Amino acid sequence: MSETPQTPEAGPAASSPHDSDDIAPLDPRSLRGLAHPLRMRLLAMLREDGPATASGLAARIGESSGATSYHLRQLAAYGFVVDDPDRGTARERWWKAVHRGSRFDSLEEFLEHPDPEVRGALTTFLHTVATDHAEQVGTWLGTLHDWPEQWQQAWDLSDYSIRLTPELALELDQEVHRLIESYRGRVPDGTEDSARVRIHFHAFPRRTD
């Protein structure tokens, strides 16, 4: 999950070079608490954009503040968000994400879990991430002409098909993550002409018979 539920860090890769204290490993309990499209969206917004109130988030996504408040409390119960003590007041509660992202250390625990609700939560989570990725690409394509020329030349929408063994596929996955992480922190916030860049990496086998 993304740094959004979207999130690279939210993806199903095995333990990878970017494992750290601010990337939370998901277990069956926390996955069941997170695997709801609205909760995943709220958490992604807090991770990407910083602290916010339930009413502020509701206004941005067209939901009622009652719904966002309920799901934020659920996220808090599972350890994904906490109160922001630097912003909260007696009348207004601000929330912030606890971690930069989430990860699966291994999917086997979830794919073969005896509880069908856990397996269902995994399906919901993964399909929500995939849907969110598609929506983000669509938003970019729909707003491409609003960006400066240099950004119109600095994006990519590619796909490849190569023959690999499972071992080489895992090696490729880890190398891509390692490369992406090597760019983290190289551009300070507020740098002129910089922007937050979303990187979606999908790798999966396909049947050809």
Side-chain angles (χ1 to χ4, degrees), residues 54-147:
S55 59
L57 293 169
R60 290 168 58 186
I61 61 177
E63 289 283 347
S64 70
S65 58
T68 55
S69 180
Y70 169 77
H71 287 293
L72 285 166
R73 291 196 301 272
Q74 290 299 304
L75 287 169
Y78 287 92
F80 292 104
V81 303
V82 293
D83 288 306
D84 185 348
D86 296 329
R87 299 173 184 264
T89 67
R91 299 181 57 185
E92 194 171 45
R93 191 176 191 180
W94 284 72
W95 297 93
K96 65 178 181 179
V98 176
H99 309 98
R100 173 163 57 86
S102 303
R103 72 172 191 268
F104 292 103
D105 286 333
S106 171
L107 281 181
E108 183 177 2
E109 174 184 12
F110 302 90
L111 291 170
E112 301 181 1
H113 200 281
D115 187 343
E117 291 191 12
V118 173
R119 300 196 301 272
L122 176 65
T123 298
T124 297
F125 180 93
L126 295 178
H127 279 274
T128 300
V129 170
T131 298
D132 184 60
H133 286 185
E135 289 178 352
Q136 290 180 30
V137 172
T139 297
W140 162 249
L141 294 176
T143 60
L144 173 60
H145 295 292
D146 298 333
W147 286 79

Side-chain angles (χ1 to χ4, degrees), residues 13-31:
S15 295
S16 61
H18 62 251
D19 290 351
S20 64
D21 291 340
D22 63 349
I23 306 297
L26 294 170
D27 58 31
R29 178 183 177 275
S30 61
L31 176 63

Side-chain angles (χ1 to χ4, degrees), residues 140 144 147-156:
W140 162 249
L144 173 60
W147 286 79
E149 183 178 354
Q150 61 265 39
W151 278 113
Q152 293 182 25
Q153 305 300 322
W155 66 284
D156 185 49

